[in-house]
Amino acid sequence: MLERSAEAERAKLAGLAGEEYNLQWARWLKAAEAAQGAVTAHAEASGENRYELEQAVKRAVRHATEDPAE
């Protein structure tokens, strides 16, 4: 869910400029940092490779039937 939230915030950057872009970028960064933190914590707890786990999460989110940009 955190990765989906980050992707949704990233999608909102499209077409923005100036201060609106900067504010949205900050929202995306906060969401992305939360997703990264969760991936790191899970990888440490499970012993999984962090990079491989992150890539699996990104693939799952990007290939989900829900489009976060909609």
Side-chain angles (χ1 to χ4, degrees):
M1 293 306 291
L2 292 172
E3 182 65 25
R4 284 185 186 170
S5 176
E7 280 295 304
E9 294 301 329
R10 183 195 57 78
K12 293 175 186 175
L13 288 167
L16 298 179
E19 188 60 23
E20 286 182 331
Y21 180 89
N22 293 338
L23 291 171
Q24 184 57 40
W25 186 87
R27 286 189 285 273
W28 165 78
L29 181 61
K30 183 176 179 180
E33 287 173 340
Q36 291 291 316
V39 167
T40 299
H42 183 80
E44 289 173 354
S46 67
E48 293 178 66
N49 178 287
R50 191 209 169 285
Y51 174 77
E52 290 175 4
L53 178 61
E54 178 184 5
Q55 294 309 304
V57 169
K58 288 184 180 291
R59 276 192 303 276
V61 168
R62 291 179 181 156
H63 291 56
T65 56
E66 294 180 38
D67 184 353
E70 294 182 334

